[in-house]
Amino acid sequence: EVQLVESGGGLVKPGGSLRLSCAASGFTFSNAWMSWVRQAPGKGLEWVGRIKSKTDGGTTDYAAPVKGRFTISRDDSKNTLYLQMNSLKTEDTAVYYCATDRESYDSSGYYYYYFDYWGQGTLVTVSS
Amino acid sequence: SYELTQPPSVSVSPGQTASITCSGDKLGDKYASWYQQKPGQSPVLVIYQDSKRPSGIPERFSGSNSGNTATLTISGTQAMDEADYYCQAWDISTGVVFGGGTKLTVL
């Protein structure tokens, strides 16, 4: 059974930093592309960024609002995904979910990308 | 940047068919996915690659995508289907894009 368990959320002041963790089990983590998705209170889902597997280059991509402030990393030896958040703003207040990415090209050459498993989320509150 | 637009709310009577739309420029040229989120819970994938259902998702959930609109259809809607639903696609310039979400009310 796939399990994703986030931790590390809490209250932080504007301008501060926080590191979230996502412990994965039930699948081969080292082969997986992983994403962070957040949800502000009462709002919709917003993709934060992703990290590819090391065999696919281990590169990262970020949404515009967090680029340059957030960093996604992974430790395959610990089956753990991380989100380092710096220069936090009040608008970063949200529940942060980690999720497993599924992406590829179909037989017709069309690209698909979706999230098949999600963690329970961890709340980050940025407030003075 | 690429955007997906959903109606804020949809209402349906129990046993009837609910349709939730998701609009975006040439969305039919991309693959759409749909997620169900009940209050206080994490999102759950209900449709991927426009019309495929993950294991464990009831057959009453179906999807289609053509032109500028993807549609999630719930046939024989049950009270347990009351939730927020989000569409999602990938855009080469923007990356992952989610729609704003639709609150489905089963009256």
Side-chain angles (χ1 to χ4, degrees):
Chain A
E1 179 194 5
V2 172
Q3 282 201 321
L4 300 170
V5 180
E6 300 93 337
S7 61
L11 175 63
V12 60
K13 289 182 168 49
S17 299
L18 205 60
R19 189 177 84 155
L20 306 183
S21 300
C22 170
S25 61
F27 64 101
T28 305
F29 179 76
S30 60
N31 291 344
W33 293 24
M34 301 291 296
S35 280
W36 287 96
V37 177
R38 67 184 181 183
Q39 186 171 33
K43 303 296 185 183
L45 302 172
E46 180 185 25
W47 179 68
V48 172
R50 71 166 180 194
I51 186 166
K52 298 180 181 180
S53 64
K54 284 192 168 52
T55 54
D56 289 321
T59 54
T60 52
D61 294 285
Y62 300 94
V66 307
K67 202 168 187 177
R69 300 188 298 123
F70 289 13
T71 302
I72 298 174
S73 62
R74 63 192 302 157
D75 186 336
D76 291 344
S77 69
K78 295 182 178 179
N79 286 351
T80 302
L81 175 73
Y82 301 101
L83 177 64
Q84 177 67 46
M85 302 184 292
N86 299 329
S87 303
L88 282 161
K89 306 175 181 180
T90 55
E91 52 264 41
D92 295 320
T93 294
V95 173
Y96 285 74
Y97 298 100
C98 63
T100 55
D101 298 13
R102 287 284 178 247
E103 64 77 50
S104 188
Y105 291 89
D106 68 6
S107 55
S108 301
Y110 284 92
Y111 187 67
Y112 59 82
Y113 203 113
Y114 60 92
F115 307 105
D116 52 355
Y117 296 101
W118 297 66
Q120 87 289 349
T122 186
L123 176 62
V124 173
T125 304
V126 184
S127 175
S128 55
Chain B
S1 62
Y2 194 78
E3 295 183 356
L4 294 175
T5 302
Q6 299 180 234
S9 63
V10 168
S11 297
V12 64
S13 299
Q16 298 304 302
T17 297
S19 294
I20 301 173
T21 58
C22 173
S23 299
D25 185 48
K26 296 180 182 177
L27 180 57
D29 291 342
K30 307 177 190 299
Y31 273 123
S33 304
W34 291 90
Y35 304 86
Q36 175 194 69
Q37 187 180 34
K38 296 181 179 179
Q41 298 184 18
S42 305
V44 173
L45 177 70
V46 294
I47 293 289
Y48 65 98
Q49 288 181 253
D50 292 342
S51 59
K52 297 181 179 180
R53 276 181 295 104
S55 172
I57 300 301
E59 290 184 9
R60 63 179 180 273
F61 287 86
S62 63
S64 62
N65 186 13
S66 180
N68 294 321
T69 304
T71 302
L72 173 68
T73 301
I74 309 173
S75 305
T77 306
Q78 300 182 10
M80 68 172 66
D81 300 329
E82 189 163 284
D84 293 329
Y85 290 86
Y86 295 90
C87 61
Q88 175 256 313
W90 168 270
D91 176 74
I92 194 168
S93 299
T94 308
V96 171
V97 182
F98 286 100
T102 298
K103 182 177 180 59
L104 177 67
T105 300
V106 182
L107 297 170

